[in-house]
Amino acid sequence: MSNFIDRVKIYIRSGHGGPGVVAFRREAYVPKGGPSGGDGGKGGDVIIVADKQLGTLIDLKYQQNYWAENGEQGRGKQQTGADGKEIVIRVPMGTLVRDMETRDTIVDLDEDGKWYILARGGRGGKGNAFFKSATNQAPRHAQPGEPGEEFTLFLELKLLADVGLIGFPNAGKSTLISRISAAKPKIADYPFTTLTPVLGVVKPENRKGFVVADIPGLIENAHKGAGLGFEFLRHVERTSLLLHLVDVSGIVPGDPVENFIKINNELELYSLELIKKYMAVAATKIDAAVPEHLESLRAHCLQKGYEFFPISSVTGAGLDQLMNFLAGKVEEGRKLREMERKDQETVIEGD
Ligand SMILES: Nc1nc2c(ncn2[C@@H]2O[C@H](COP(=O)(O)OP(=O)(O)OP(=O)(O)O)[C@@H](O)[C@H]2O)c(=O)[nH]1
Ligand SMILES: [Mg+2]
């Protein structure tokens, strides 16, 4: 099994509250002491937190049960029992917690350090000291603790990146990310070299950095499961734009324009949201280009209104221009989202 796991099922249970107790003081020379039974402790919570150090849900594949401790029962002398220890589940940034049955999203852990209480520990029961009153000086009852909560959850990781690389196997996606970032994915001249997504941070000079996601190649009929199917497209769903890489060197079989259209059809079959995303096109391997391929792709992109970048990850041609463009687009996207967020806030304040 690969180390990259992006979907897991887990079982969680918060701790039960400890029961309150019935006890009476025994003191020298006091024939009958008052009620002194303490309250039970609170059960432990189950908490989930996003950790940017993590990149996979693999740990949760091996450990699927998360039970927090129960609260202790109350003690004599009006002492409260100890609270049960909480459990903290650490997951990669970008993990969505969903209800197992409905698949509704319970929480989106989309920021480092963001946390959420998945199950609250039960309250401890009151001891008999609590029930002492003017009319009942010696209550002989205590409360049981509240039960904890129990859930089966579905965790799904959707990586957070700004730019998603899309293209046929061998289009040169991994070579590009290895050239523009510190990421070092495997590169080879056979299809499906990349089997799991890889993130790389790009930092062009004088620009804000951004994150690029390299995912396994797509082929025609991916929607029917061909190749690696749609398995990894969820990891570009949250990007602000897509960069579609098209080989113009002839290493990828077929006509580049037809290849480009084939992949776009697959994206559309995957989700209408994805195909609506902004897309730019990079013609790859121009150091070894078949001139007609490069020109027919350029003409198609011009006609369809796609921003077009001829590049070579070997010689570095066109890369600065492309990185500048991507940095600008990412920044635009961030500003737009920031504005949308502010708009929403004003609406809430105006309510
Ligand atoms: N001449 C030339 N070859 C390139 C260039 N970029 C990539 N290649 C070669 O193209 C082949 C495929 O490159 P990869 O980067 O592994 O392609 P990929 O798109 O990641 O492929 P998958 O992981 O299989 O989807 C490798 O043999 C690379 O060396 C380029 O700019 N010029
Ligand atoms: Mg690759």
Side-chain angles (χ1 to χ4, degrees), residues 15 82 104 148 163 173 179 191 212 215 218 240 249 265 289 295 317:
D104 288 343
V163 179
K173 303 178 295 295
R179 174 89 197 217
V212 175
I215 62 167
L218 275 179
S240 54
S249 75
N265 287 340
E295 289 322 311

Side-chain angles (χ1 to χ4, degrees), residues 13-19 40-46 67-72 81-87 117 119-125 145-149:
R13 198 176 84 180
S14 55
H16 301 311
K42 181 181 162 301
D45 297 333
V46 179
W67 291 11
E69 253 179 27
N70 295 331
E72 273 184 12
D83 291 345
K85 250 225 300 290
E86 64 194 17
I87 278 201
I117 300 178
R120 279 181 194 280
R123 258 192 325 154
E146 259 180 13
E149 303 176 309

Side-chain angles (χ1 to χ4, degrees), residues 60-71:
L60 288 79
K61 191 88 194 168
Y62 292 115
Q63 151 114 41
Q64 292 186 298
N65 295 305
Y66 295 89
W67 291 11
E69 253 179 27
N70 295 331

Side-chain angles (χ1 to χ4, degrees), residues 203-225:
K203 179 72 188 73
E205 236 177 284
N206 305 322
R207 308 286 309 232
K208 286 215 175 97
F210 58 92
V211 178
V212 175
D214 171 25
I215 62 167
L218 275 179
I219 56 173
E220 192 176 15
N221 289 325
H223 68 283
K224 292 183 187 153

